[in-house]
Amino acid sequence: MEKQFKIAVIGLGYVGLPLGRLFATQYPVVGFDINQNRIEELNTGVDSTLEVEPEVLKPILTQENPFQADQNGLYCSYDINDIKDANVYIITVPTPVDKHNRPDLTPLYKASETVGKVLSKGDIVIYESTVYPGATEEECIPVLEKVSGMKFNEDFFAGYSPERINPGDKEHTVEKILKVTSGSTPEIGEIVDSLYRSVIIAGTHLAPTIKIAEAAKVIENSQRDINIAFVNELAKIFNLLEIDTHAVLKAAGTKWNFLPFKPGLVGGHCIGVDPYYLAQKAQENGYHPEIILAGRRLNDSMGQYVASQLVKTMIKKKLTINDAKVLNLGITFKENCPDVRNTKAVDVIRGLEDYALQVTTFDPWADPAEVKHEYGLTVVNEIPDEKFDAIILTVAHNEFMNLDLRKHLKEGGVIYDVKGILEECDSRL
Ligand SMILES: NC(=O)c1ccc[n+]([C@@H]2O[C@H](COP(=O)([O-])OP(=O)(O)OC[C@H]3O[C@@H](n4cnc5c(N)ncnc54)[C@H](O)[C@@H]3O)[C@@H](O)[C@H]2O)c1
């Protein structure tokens, strides 16, 4: 493909926006999203995911479609007509699980339908969403073929390049993370790789096939899930033995090949979800994964476990549990990020409420309206001026590091540290 790349990014969320912004420094890019409100906020230079700062976003935005103007820059739109002149489509839509933890490919099918409607001869469609091995070729390509009426690997081509960004992490931004690439033929693999290599400073790794690239991504997150599940299990054992897990991990961590994982809640839409994609594919092929699903079960039990540990600590300090007031610090699924999707802090809160505790949640990052809408829970953006029987630190936002927690605690109250970051606490995971 000798022609200049004209890129359409489909789905402008945590993954799509930073990627579209990066490509727009060197290519004409149209960012497409079905969420009209999202497009409208982006067009004013505001990114509510806080991944791209206004001073970075605003200068790259164009007032008119850059394909027509033949200029570099990012144009955000919810109009399908704006992407029809692209020759590279990059799909970055969500890949959630349903209520039975089965992969829900609906956004991928829908995005593929959209692209199928505007696909032209010679175009390349690159998927970035996390999937199980085989999903691109077995699930998405047939939709593209059907809707476009064109033939795969003759009329149009595909690639897969998984995203590795870590929301809230301002150090490992998209261009600084080595990127795995792949293509539906060896030649297309080279083109896809050269496209990413032109913007990713950290370089690329061209995988031999799309399936290998898909599998690589899903095992990266599954490995992390299993490693955290192991230390979560250790935390449960050491709590029974009344040994400080963090001190044990610190001591063991002095060995050169001991992996530095910490116990905690595994939420969000990546690590807590992606292993189910791999498990589903394994099951479809007659293998019932043991370690992968055991890890998921263990990690999913941690919210309730944390709640019971806090209550035990309170009982040991002879505090009355019924109607006791607890200040919970943090509700987002991870630190320094406003994302509340699939957050396990909610399991902690619900676990505490099951014990008839009254929980007030303070989170300076979360959008209270979104939390109300998603979970029916109230979040405050400032700590109320009252004293609590217990304080639990659930998320390690930077803002929590310098809080004088004793100021908000009743005499004899309990501080519980889920993240193991507080200098002073009564108990921790
Ligand atoms: N967020 C992360 O940390 C991260 C990291 C690596 C990989 N991933 C993977 O990347 C993918 C995207 O994740 P995300 O966090 O950016 O999701 P997100 O929810 O933040 O963004 C997805 C965007 O896609 C839009 N969208 C949904 N359906 C669409 C459609 N049919 N057409 C156009 N737009 C559509 C949504 O409106 C939303 O703005 C997922 O597969 C995820 O697993 C995410």
Side-chain angles (χ1 to χ4, degrees):
M1 190 192 268
E2 285 298 310
K3 56 190 171 185
Q4 151 89 7
F5 292 122
K6 290 180 181 170
I7 302 170
V9 177
I10 316 297
L12 294 177
Y14 281 87
V15 168
L17 180 68
L19 189 79
R21 198 288 308 170
L22 178 64
F23 274 125
T25 58
Q26 294 197 34
Y27 302 100
V29 179
V30 175
F32 173 83
D33 202 294
I34 47 169
N35 181 344
Q36 199 168 330
N37 292 338
R38 175 72 172 154
I39 295 299
E40 278 161 10
E41 74 165 28
L42 291 176
N43 279 331
T44 65
V46 174
D47 168 23
S48 57
T49 68
L50 308 180
E51 289 300 299
V52 183
E53 288 84 11
E55 55 276 21
V56 177
L57 183 57
K58 273 186 186 158
I60 207 90
L61 291 177
T62 60
Q63 294 310 311
E64 53 179 357
N65 190 318
F67 299 160
Q68 267 88 59
D70 206 15
Q71 62 174 122
N72 298 342
L74 176 67
Y75 183 72
C76 299
S77 170
Y78 48 85
D79 181 353
I80 187 172
N81 290 314
D82 283 322
I83 56 170
K84 66 180 178 358
D85 291 330
N87 50 27
V88 173
Y89 293 89
I90 303 180
I91 298 186
T92 53
V93 296
T95 42
V97 285
D98 66 14
K99 62 178 193 271
H100 305 294
N101 290 326
R102 284 181 310 219
D104 176 5
L105 299 180
T106 312
L108 269 184
Y109 292 140
K110 294 247 182 264
S112 301
E113 274 173 25
T114 302
V115 172
K117 285 180 194 158
V118 290
L119 207 57
S120 308
K121 243 181 154 38
D123 290 353
I124 304 178
V125 186
I126 304 169
Y127 289 84
E128 286 227 3
S129 304
T130 308
V131 288
Y132 52 74
T136 300
E137 286 148 311
E138 292 158 17
E139 300 295 330
C140 302
I141 300 295
V143 177
L144 291 174
E145 282 194 314
K146 188 170 171 224
V147 177
S148 70
M150 289 199 284
K151 212 157 167 37
F152 178 47
N153 273 345
E154 283 180 22
D155 301 322
F156 74 94
F157 304 89
Y160 182 79
S161 180
E163 186 48 68
R164 288 170 158 166
I165 56 140
N166 182 22
D169 184 340
K170 298 295 171 219
E171 199 185 320
H172 302 100
T173 46
V174 57
E175 68 273 30
K176 296 194 196 126
I177 307 171
L178 193 142
K179 206 149 177 1
V180 172
T181 60
S182 64
S184 55
T185 69
E187 297 72 34
I188 294 298
E190 290 295 343
I191 294 171
V192 171
D193 192 64
S194 73
L195 172 64
Y196 281 97
R197 227 174 29 232
S198 67
V199 292
I200 305 281
I201 304 163
T204 55
H205 171 91
L206 175 56
T209 64
I210 286 178
K211 270 201 186 86
I212 290 172
E214 290 170 323
K217 169 66 190 180
V218 79
I219 68 159
E220 284 169 25
N221 282 1
S222 301
Q223 183 188 66
R224 195 166 165 75
D225 195 42
I226 291 162
N227 278 313
I228 297 170
F230 174 60
V231 287
N232 275 339
E233 184 154 66
L234 295 180
K236 286 183 171 181
I237 296 169
F238 293 143
N239 283 341
L240 286 172
L241 301 179
E242 298 190 350
I243 300 173
D244 181 344
T245 307
H246 291 270
V248 177
L249 292 173
K250 193 172 173 192
T254 56
K255 192 183 174 200
W256 72 92
N257 60 359
F258 188 85
L259 301 175
F261 286 93
K262 282 187 174 181
L265 304 168
V266 182
H269 44 280
C270 288
I271 296 175
V273 164
D274 301 345
Y276 288 123
Y277 273 70
L278 183 57
Q280 160 97 8
K281 191 65 183 169
Q283 280 161 347
E284 272 173 25
N285 284 273
Y287 179 80
H288 294 274
E290 298 189 40
I291 295 175
I292 297 168
L293 291 180
R296 279 287 63 245
R297 269 196 303 278
L298 207 128
N299 283 341
D300 272 352
S301 72
M302 292 310 286
Q304 275 290 342
Y305 177 75
V306 162
S308 67
Q309 288 299 105
L310 170 58
V311 169
K312 266 189 198 169
T313 313
M314 291 174 74
I315 290 170
K316 280 185 190 161
K317 281 191 104 177
K318 302 199 173 2
L319 294 175
T320 304
I321 301 302
N322 214 344
D323 280 341
K325 290 195 163 126
V326 179
L327 175 65
N328 169 51
L329 300 176
I331 193 152
T332 60
F333 93 88
K334 64 174 292 195
E335 63 277 7
N336 306 323
C337 158
D339 197 345
V340 295
R341 289 175 297 173
N342 192 30
T343 172
K344 296 299 165 193
V346 167
D347 293 3
V348 177
I349 297 166
R350 300 226 195 278
L352 293 172
E353 287 174 347
D354 279 350
Y355 285 105
L357 294 163
Q358 290 184 27
V359 185
T360 300
T361 295
F362 164 57
D363 194 313
W365 285 81
D367 173 4
E370 193 184 350
V371 176
K372 190 84 188 167
H373 179 256
E374 286 295 315
Y375 303 106
L377 291 169
T378 302
V379 169
V380 293
N381 288 133
E382 263 174 54
I383 304 182
D385 189 19
E386 60 178 300
K387 299 225 178 213
F388 294 87
D389 299 286
I391 299 179
I392 177 166
L393 184 137
T394 308
V395 184
H397 290 317
N398 286 344
E399 288 84 349
F400 298 158
M401 304 298 167
N402 302 319
L403 284 178
D404 178 7
L405 295 183
R406 294 275 162 207
K407 204 174 89 184
H408 304 283
L409 197 65
K410 285 184 191 162
E411 190 72 28
V414 164
I415 296 179
Y416 187 93
D417 182 6
V418 177
K419 299 297 292 183
I421 54 162
L422 296 176
E423 300 259 307
E424 202 200 330
C425 66
D426 298 277
S427 186
R428 55 188 182 179
L429 181 59

